[in-house]
Amino acid sequence: MIFSPVKGGGRGGRTRITRRAAVAAVGVVALLTAGACGSSDDNGGGSGSTKVEVFTWWADGGEKAGLDGLVKQFGTDCAGQTFENGAVAGGAGANAKSVLASRLQQGTPPDTFQAHAGAELSDYILAGQVEDISADYDAWGLKQAFPQGLIDNLTVEGKIYSVPANIHRANVVWTNKKVLADAGITKDPTDLAGFIADLEKVKAKGIKAPLAIGKDWTQLMLFESVLITDLGPEKFTGLWNGATDWNDPLVTKAINDFKTLLTYTNTDRDALDWTDAEKLVMDGKAGYQLMGDWEAADLDAKKFTDYAWFTFPGNGDTFQWLADSFVLPKGANNPEGTKCWLKTVGSAAGQKAFNTTKGSIPARTDAAPADYPKYQQAAMADWKSAKQVPSCAHGSACSQGWQGAANSALGAFSTKQDVPALQKALATAASQFVKK
Ligand code: GAL
């Protein structure tokens, strides 16, 4: 399996754990053995809590539906434990991540939180904020359940730190079928020129902004898709591990192509979350939106059925992946309850309950496609054969610091449209954050 070669946010990053973090991880194991694995008699090692606060940004629509599925399964699996919803709304964790950072800093972590496999998870591991759960992987048989490539993205120095709930795909365009039919569009575009020609056709029907988009991170997603088209999957992946220079002329081309695409988008983009942009598609005010496949679940949850999808034009068979995973934070109140949550997340029943309503595909390899809606069945098939590349907007490719720098560079570009300035800002961010 190819899976993402980006480990720990950079070339060889996965093995570059600091000595301090390694020592912290050892201390953490000692703490865990002392308390977290206790019997129900000692009730989780001290706090006596039977509440499991689950911190996510899944507050609404398809995201909430997925979480609800998991919670239901948790109720079945973990008698005596109670789910407490710690969700902070805002797409891609735009608000949740800063709330989480301050709670971790203050030493008041939730019992578990959502973290993207790859570089984002490595941030928490290297900061010594999450526990090693390798022993639980053995106990729960999870090493055999997940693809090795995914396990590599959860591992630092041979230790595993989280349980993946899913695999999402980022490089998907969602469409309003009626808007496209009205414009006489009958085929999916396979390259940028074809896409732009179709955007023109929709525009000619009086739809001023045929391509709906939201603020910074959603713009970063669109830009990453354009980069995949213009650079190809190998060079794109190289942008995140130091093998590809951000000053490459192909990056300049991608920025110019992205600038062209922005001319077809809504001018209020910087004020919108992804669901606001999605509403433009649902309301027929736009024909297209580039978004991760949580959109399939959200459109279903909102009972909008007149949609279709295609891979971003020019991406070929590239599957830009990301994975939500759950951790046991250091200092969690109820480690025993959290472990039961994690076990549910990794179980076949938990993955089915979650992914059938979240738009993602199960991280486990033993799922039956027939149990899933049409979109996920297609994604499962693609996942097996496609070229896999990671996502910076959703933490599999880049650290949180790098992601923040990229988001603000995109935000500035949205206003100023200054091509050299964006390229320079992205090259500077790479030189600051890439792990060689
Ligand atoms: C991603 C997350 C997805 C989905 C999306 C939109 O970062 O991995 O599960 O929630 O944000 O909020």
Side-chain angles (χ1 to χ4, degrees), residues 341-409:
W341 171 264
L342 296 179
K343 190 175 177 188
T344 295
V345 168
S347 69
Q351 301 241 319
K352 184 173 156 190
F354 179 63
N355 289 299
T356 44
T357 46
K358 181 66 168 69
S360 38
I361 61 173
R364 292 183 67 102
T365 53
D366 57 3
D371 291 342
Y372 285 79
K374 200 170 135 212
Y375 169 76
Q376 282 100 317
Q377 291 192 17
M380 279 185 207
D382 287 353
W383 174 241
K384 286 198 186 131
S385 58
K387 288 214 172 73
Q388 296 158 4
V389 301
S391 151
C392 178
H394 303 284
S396 44
C398 67
S399 63
Q400 292 194 57
W402 194 346
Q403 186 187 76
N407 279 342
S408 34

Side-chain angles (χ1 to χ4, degrees), residues 57-58 63 90-92 114 116 168 217 274 294 322 324 358 394:
W57 53 87
W58 299 330
E63 301 186 302
Q114 168 190 359
H116 289 121
H168 266 305
W217 67 268
W274 72 277
W294 43 90
L322 57 119
D324 297 304
K358 181 66 168 69
H394 303 284

